[in-house]
Amino acid sequence: MLVLCIQIKCFHEIITIGYSVYHSYHLPWFRTLSWYFLLCVNYFFYGETVTDYFFTLVQREEPLRILSKYHRFISFALYLTGFCMFVLSLVKKHYRLQFYMFGWTHVTLLIVVTQSHLIIHNLFEGMIWFIVPISCVICNDIMAYMFGFFFGRTPLIKLSPKKTWEGFIGGFFATIVFGILLSYVMSGYRFFVCPVEFNNDSNSFTVDCKPSELFQLQDYGLPPVLQSITVKLYPFQIHSIALSAFASIMGPFGGFFASGFKRAFKIKDFANTIPGHGGIMDRFDCQYLMATFVNVYIASFIRGPNPSKVIQQLLALRPDQQLHIFNSLKAHLTEKGLLPLLEEAA
């Protein structure tokens, strides 16, 4: 709910900037269509998430099962309705402006809604994948400011004159240390490392599991010069270095992008929601880029194929297709010599 509320507010702030231009021509339906498309995209993404992560729950309820089966068709039909409404709203002599604002809405949806959907996916993998990256971005922002305030001399980028190389480098090392320490503390708690799951027995959502190897202390040897010394670390702490490095090196470019956007439209802040700090989008410009990286990082280096999703797909097949896959899998296991061992164990 928190991610959804932030997403809606960020969308509102960006759309309002475009609406101030559009409204001066007294053209119809822009704001209505923008919010309608937001509803359609959220329906699509949240429906996909619920089906992927809580398939068992969805299959138990008849209405949810029907909505899940035809989810993509319903989503497309909703979008198509909005598309037709936009075509019907076109006004002679203002076509170019209307198509420009149509593109504005869709780029906003891409930046805000798509990336907030990735934040939801990160959350379901475990709270640690949500809290550590966000905290690293916040830490980098604070430490870069402090190092820049006390030691800053060399300008970093023209888009943000107050940013300095001293702050950028100091923030980098401070964020790496912070990420390692925070990861060590959080890796010891199941609440943070366990993914969200639906428990059929208790008919409720649970955050309890046997922590994976990623969150179990292991011995690591130091370089040959210090060969006799070993340290105990959680493997996740190694991954936190990559997360911290991205938050320090690439994360600020989300802020630079937002600065360029505001300069293009000659505004100081996206809104005045937070006194002295601008709008919600001003605070989350780096977070969306970070969330996308975390999702890609998990998919590339952490999470393999999900057996539960494979089973979901198998159960949706016809009986003859299921039987064909069963025979193929049985032949493959027999050829590898695994099936006789499994039968003996049974």
Side-chain angles (χ1 to χ4, degrees):
M1 290 303 297
L2 176 63
V3 174
L4 179 61
C5 290
I6 291 172
Q7 173 217 108
I8 291 173
K9 183 56 182 170
C10 290
F11 181 83
H12 170 258
E13 290 176 359
I14 298 177
I15 286 298
T16 300
I17 296 172
Y19 182 71
S20 63
V21 177
Y22 193 87
H23 183 62
S24 62
Y25 291 89
H26 304 287
L27 297 174
W29 293 9
F30 169 65
R31 181 169 282 182
T32 302
L33 282 172
S34 296
W35 287 102
Y36 177 80
F37 282 126
L38 176 68
L39 177 67
C40 292
V41 174
N42 269 320
Y43 175 80
F44 171 74
F45 279 134
Y46 277 95
E48 292 280 309
T49 300
V50 170
T51 302
D52 283 347
Y53 286 92
F54 308 116
F55 181 77
T56 306
L57 175 63
V58 169
Q59 291 301 306
R60 288 174 50 183
E61 304 292 337
E62 183 65 25
L64 290 178
R65 187 160 62 246
I66 294 173
L67 287 174
S68 173
K69 184 176 180 180
Y70 300 106
H71 174 67
R72 295 195 174 185
F73 180 80
I74 295 171
S75 300
F76 179 71
L78 290 172
Y79 179 82
L80 202 60
T81 302
F83 178 81
C84 293
M85 290 170 62
F86 167 73
V87 174
L88 293 173
S89 73
L90 292 173
V91 177
K92 192 175 181 180
K93 295 183 180 179
H94 295 295
Y95 294 150
R96 180 178 295 182
L97 176 62
Q98 288 183 281
F99 276 99
Y100 165 74
M101 299 312 299
F102 184 76
W104 180 289
T105 299
H106 282 67
V107 170
T108 304
L109 291 171
L110 177 66
I111 293 174
V112 176
V113 183
T114 304
Q115 296 188 75
S116 66
H117 170 68
L118 299 181
I119 294 177
I120 298 295
H121 272 239
N122 299 342
L123 267 169
F124 282 130
E125 293 296 325
M127 286 288 287
I128 196 168
W129 291 105
F130 173 74
I131 296 176
V132 169
I134 281 182
S135 301
C136 286
V137 171
I138 295 172
C139 173
N140 180 255
D141 200 26
I142 295 171
M143 298 310 295
Y145 172 79
M146 292 182 65
F147 276 94
F149 182 82
F150 289 107
F151 308 107
R153 296 291 183 274
T154 313
L156 176 63
I157 187 170
K158 291 181 179 180
L159 277 173
S160 298
K162 294 183 180 179
K163 304 287 185 181
T164 64
W165 276 104
E166 290 80 6
F168 184 79
I169 296 170
F172 171 81
F173 288 106
T175 305
I176 295 291
V177 174
F178 172 81
I180 292 173
L181 295 177
L182 180 63
S183 299
Y184 180 82
V185 173
M186 294 187 66
S187 294
Y189 295 90
R190 290 190 178 186
F191 175 78
F192 293 121
V193 304
C194 290
V196 180
E197 294 179 347
F198 182 76
N199 191 315
N200 286 314
D201 298 328
S202 62
N203 198 32
S204 63
F205 296 101
T206 60
V207 186
D208 189 24
C209 65
K210 179 182 178 182
S212 66
E213 292 184 0
L214 206 60
F215 305 106
Q216 295 179 15
L217 283 171
Q218 296 184 22
D219 292 328
Y220 288 90
L222 294 178
V225 179
L226 304 171
Q227 192 170 9
S228 60
I229 301 177
T230 59
V231 294
K232 283 187 174 292
L233 295 173
Y234 293 102
F236 180 79
Q237 289 179 269
I238 309 298
H239 294 289
S240 75
I241 296 175
L243 301 181
S244 302
F246 184 89
S248 304
I249 299 172
M250 299 305 299
F253 280 85
F256 300 151
F257 177 85
S259 296
F261 180 89
K262 288 183 284 188
R263 286 176 182 273
F265 290 92
K266 299 178 181 178
I267 56 176
K268 182 181 178 182
D269 298 309
F270 283 96
N272 56 359
T273 309
I274 309 172
H277 293 277
I280 298 295
M281 191 64 196
D282 290 287
R283 299 298 92 205
F284 281 83
D285 47 12
C286 302
Q287 296 289 2
Y288 283 119
L289 190 62
M290 185 71 199
T292 304
F293 172 74
V294 173
N295 190 269
V296 171
Y297 188 87
I298 292 173
S300 301
F301 303 109
I302 304 299
R303 184 183 59 221
N306 190 334
S308 63
K309 289 186 180 181
V310 175
I311 292 174
Q312 292 171 21
Q313 294 172 342
L314 288 175
L315 294 176
L317 297 175
R318 299 193 310 269
D320 60 312
Q321 294 174 322
Q322 293 176 348
L323 189 61
H324 174 71
I325 291 174
F326 170 78
N327 290 328
S328 299
L329 183 61
K330 181 179 178 181
H332 176 73
L333 293 175
T334 303
E335 183 181 344
K336 285 200 164 188
L338 296 174
L339 196 59
L341 296 176
L342 294 175
E343 290 176 347
E344 289 177 8

